[in-house]
Amino acid sequence: MRARIAALTVVSAGLTLAMAGPSWAAPTPPAVSAAGPPASATATATASAAPGAGCPALVNRPCAWQERNGSGVLGSALVTAEHPGQLTLVRVDVKVQRAWGSPWETVASSTRLQYGTVRVSTPQVDALGPVVVCATGGPALRPALQSTICTTPH
């Protein structure tokens, strides 16, 4: 089993770099504060709120949010692992809708695989129109326990 995990980590590390986009490394915002009142699973952060401040600390369930500033939008996600030795996977996508009623189109994506709790952000993108950030994550070796969550369009 140990050899299988090592091979998965190596392969996934290559995928992480390949999927991080033009920057080749997804920026990671400051640490998330898990304290505070419970919030909905689709909570989003704005420029006036601390990044990820509305994220509930749910074990093996992703939390997604978007951060906007004058030059674009950044999608971020967090999955809190059950224990530090758990191999955890998180993928975050920024999706835009170019015209009302048109399909959602992914414009930025990042994936991270590591032991313990995982936080990942997409490269910043210019986005006109509504934006949704979706995150998929959970235990890497137990896909049945992974789930997907999306923010409301902003």
Side-chain angles (χ1 to χ4, degrees), residues 126-152:
D126 291 330
L128 297 174
V131 174
V132 169
V133 175
C134 294
T136 300
L141 300 177
R142 299 188 64 197
L145 295 180
Q146 295 176 14
S147 59
T148 300
I149 188 93
C150 294
T151 64
T152 55

Short mmCIF file of all heavy atoms in Angstrom, two decimals, residues 126-152:
data_model
loop_
_atom_site.label_atom_id
_atom_site.label_comp_id
_atom_site.label_asym_id
_atom_site.label_seq_id
_atom_site.Cartn_x
_atom_site.Cartn_y
_atom_site.Cartn_z
N ASP A 126 -9.16 37.84 -15.04
CA ASP A 126 -10.14 38.90 -15.32
C ASP A 126 -11.46 38.21 -15.59
O ASP A 126 -11.51 37.24 -16.34
CB ASP A 126 -9.73 39.72 -16.54
CG ASP A 126 -8.49 40.56 -16.27
OD1 ASP A 126 -8.30 40.97 -15.11
OD2 ASP A 126 -7.72 40.80 -17.21
N ALA A 127 -12.52 38.68 -15.01
CA ALA A 127 -13.81 38.03 -15.20
C ALA A 127 -14.91 39.08 -15.32
O ALA A 127 -15.13 39.84 -14.39
CB ALA A 127 -14.09 37.08 -14.05
N LEU A 128 -15.55 39.09 -16.47
CA LEU A 128 -16.71 39.95 -16.67
C LEU A 128 -17.95 39.08 -16.52
O LEU A 128 -17.97 37.94 -16.98
CB LEU A 128 -16.67 40.58 -18.06
CG LEU A 128 -15.48 41.50 -18.32
CD1 LEU A 128 -15.47 41.94 -19.78
CD2 LEU A 128 -15.54 42.71 -17.40
N GLY A 129 -18.97 39.61 -15.92
CA GLY A 129 -20.19 38.84 -15.74
C GLY A 129 -20.16 38.03 -14.47
O GLY A 129 -19.24 38.14 -13.66
N PRO A 130 -21.16 37.17 -14.30
CA PRO A 130 -21.24 36.36 -13.08
C PRO A 130 -20.08 35.36 -12.97
O PRO A 130 -19.64 34.81 -13.98
CB PRO A 130 -22.56 35.61 -13.23
CG PRO A 130 -23.27 36.20 -14.39
CD PRO A 130 -22.28 36.95 -15.19
N VAL A 131 -19.62 35.15 -11.74
CA VAL A 131 -18.53 34.23 -11.46
C VAL A 131 -18.98 33.24 -10.39
O VAL A 131 -19.62 33.62 -9.42
CB VAL A 131 -17.27 34.98 -10.97
CG1 VAL A 131 -16.19 34.00 -10.54
CG2 VAL A 131 -16.76 35.92 -12.02
N VAL A 132 -18.64 31.97 -10.58
CA VAL A 132 -18.90 30.91 -9.61
C VAL A 132 -17.58 30.22 -9.33
O VAL A 132 -16.79 29.98 -10.25
CB VAL A 132 -19.92 29.89 -10.15
CG1 VAL A 132 -20.00 28.67 -9.27
CG2 VAL A 132 -21.29 30.53 -10.29
N VAL A 133 -17.32 29.90 -8.07
CA VAL A 133 -16.14 29.12 -7.70
C VAL A 133 -16.64 27.78 -7.19
O VAL A 133 -17.49 27.73 -6.30
CB VAL A 133 -15.29 29.83 -6.62
CG1 VAL A 133 -14.15 28.94 -6.16
CG2 VAL A 133 -14.77 31.16 -7.16
N CYS A 134 -16.14 26.69 -7.78
CA CYS A 134 -16.52 25.34 -7.37
C CYS A 134 -15.29 24.61 -6.84
O CYS A 134 -14.19 24.76 -7.38
CB CYS A 134 -17.11 24.55 -8.54
SG CYS A 134 -18.68 25.22 -9.12
N ALA A 135 -15.48 23.83 -5.81
CA ALA A 135 -14.40 23.04 -5.23
C ALA A 135 -14.85 21.60 -5.07
O ALA A 135 -15.98 21.33 -4.65
CB ALA A 135 -13.99 23.60 -3.88
N THR A 136 -13.95 20.68 -5.40
CA THR A 136 -14.17 19.26 -5.19
C THR A 136 -13.03 18.76 -4.33
O THR A 136 -11.87 19.08 -4.60
CB THR A 136 -14.18 18.49 -6.53
OG1 THR A 136 -15.23 19.02 -7.34
CG2 THR A 136 -14.39 17.00 -6.32
N GLY A 137 -13.34 18.00 -3.29
CA GLY A 137 -12.26 17.52 -2.45
C GLY A 137 -12.71 16.54 -1.40
O GLY A 137 -13.90 16.29 -1.21
N GLY A 138 -11.70 16.00 -0.73
CA GLY A 138 -11.90 15.02 0.32
C GLY A 138 -10.74 14.06 0.35
O GLY A 138 -9.68 14.33 -0.23
N PRO A 139 -10.90 12.91 0.98
CA PRO A 139 -9.82 11.92 1.06
C PRO A 139 -9.47 11.41 -0.35
O PRO A 139 -10.34 10.94 -1.07
CB PRO A 139 -10.39 10.80 1.91
CG PRO A 139 -11.62 11.37 2.56
CD PRO A 139 -12.09 12.47 1.70
N ALA A 140 -8.22 11.52 -0.73
CA ALA A 140 -7.79 11.14 -2.09
C ALA A 140 -7.98 9.65 -2.35
O ALA A 140 -8.30 9.26 -3.47
CB ALA A 140 -6.33 11.52 -2.30
N LEU A 141 -7.80 8.82 -1.34
CA LEU A 141 -7.89 7.38 -1.53
C LEU A 141 -9.30 6.83 -1.31
O LEU A 141 -9.51 5.63 -1.38
CB LEU A 141 -6.89 6.67 -0.61
CG LEU A 141 -5.43 7.06 -0.85
CD1 LEU A 141 -4.51 6.37 0.15
CD2 LEU A 141 -5.01 6.76 -2.28
N ARG A 142 -10.26 7.71 -1.05
CA ARG A 142 -11.65 7.30 -0.85
C ARG A 142 -12.56 8.24 -1.65
O ARG A 142 -13.24 9.10 -1.09
CB ARG A 142 -12.00 7.32 0.63
CG ARG A 142 -11.09 6.32 1.39
CD ARG A 142 -11.46 6.11 2.81
NE ARG A 142 -12.79 5.49 2.90
CZ ARG A 142 -13.48 5.50 4.03
NH1 ARG A 142 -13.01 6.06 5.10
NH2 ARG A 142 -14.68 4.93 4.06
N PRO A 143 -12.58 8.09 -2.97
CA PRO A 143 -13.37 8.98 -3.82
C PRO A 143 -14.84 9.06 -3.45
O PRO A 143 -15.49 10.08 -3.67
CB PRO A 143 -13.20 8.40 -5.23
CG PRO A 143 -11.98 7.56 -5.16
CD PRO A 143 -11.85 7.09 -3.74
N ALA A 144 -15.40 8.02 -2.88
CA ALA A 144 -16.82 8.04 -2.49
C ALA A 144 -17.08 9.09 -1.40
O ALA A 144 -18.21 9.55 -1.25
CB ALA A 144 -17.25 6.66 -2.00
N LEU A 145 -16.05 9.50 -0.66
CA LEU A 145 -16.21 10.51 0.39
C LEU A 145 -15.93 11.92 -0.10
O LEU A 145 -16.09 12.88 0.65
CB LEU A 145 -15.30 10.19 1.58
CG LEU A 145 -15.60 8.90 2.33
CD1 LEU A 145 -14.63 8.72 3.48
CD2 LEU A 145 -17.05 8.89 2.83
N GLN A 146 -15.52 12.08 -1.37
CA GLN A 146 -15.27 13.41 -1.92
C GLN A 146 -16.60 14.05 -2.32
O GLN A 146 -17.55 13.37 -2.67
CB GLN A 146 -14.35 13.31 -3.14
CG GLN A 146 -12.96 12.82 -2.79
CD GLN A 146 -12.08 12.64 -4.00
OE1 GLN A 146 -12.39 13.11 -5.10
NE2 GLN A 146 -10.97 11.95 -3.81
N SER A 147 -16.64 15.36 -2.25
CA SER A 147 -17.85 16.08 -2.64
C SER A 147 -17.50 17.38 -3.34
O SER A 147 -16.35 17.82 -3.30
CB SER A 147 -18.73 16.35 -1.41
OG SER A 147 -18.03 17.11 -0.47
N THR A 148 -18.50 18.00 -3.96
CA THR A 148 -18.32 19.25 -4.69
C THR A 148 -19.27 20.30 -4.12
O THR A 148 -20.41 19.99 -3.80
CB THR A 148 -18.59 19.06 -6.19
OG1 THR A 148 -17.67 18.09 -6.69
CG2 THR A 148 -18.45 20.35 -6.96
N ILE A 149 -18.78 21.52 -4.03
CA ILE A 149 -19.58 22.64 -3.55
C ILE A 149 -19.28 23.83 -4.46
O ILE A 149 -18.17 23.97 -4.94
CB ILE A 149 -19.26 22.97 -2.07
CG1 ILE A 149 -20.23 24.00 -1.52
CG2 ILE A 149 -17.86 23.45 -1.89
CD1 ILE A 149 -21.39 23.40 -0.86
N CYS A 150 -20.27 24.68 -4.71
CA CYS A 150 -20.08 25.89 -5.52
C CYS A 150 -20.64 27.09 -4.77
O CYS A 150 -21.62 26.97 -4.04
CB CYS A 150 -20.79 25.76 -6.86
SG CYS A 150 -20.11 24.50 -7.94
N THR A 151 -20.02 28.25 -5.00
CA THR A 151 -20.54 29.49 -4.43
C THR A 151 -21.75 29.93 -5.25
O THR A 151 -21.98 29.43 -6.35
CB THR A 151 -19.47 30.60 -4.47
OG1 THR A 151 -19.16 30.90 -5.83
CG2 THR A 151 -18.22 30.20 -3.72
N THR A 152 -22.48 30.89 -4.73
CA THR A 152 -23.56 31.47 -5.52
C THR A 152 -22.94 32.44 -6.52
O THR A 152 -21.87 32.99 -6.27
CB THR A 152 -24.56 32.23 -4.62
OG1 THR A 152 -23.85 33.19 -3.86
CG2 THR A 152 -25.28 31.27 -3.68
#
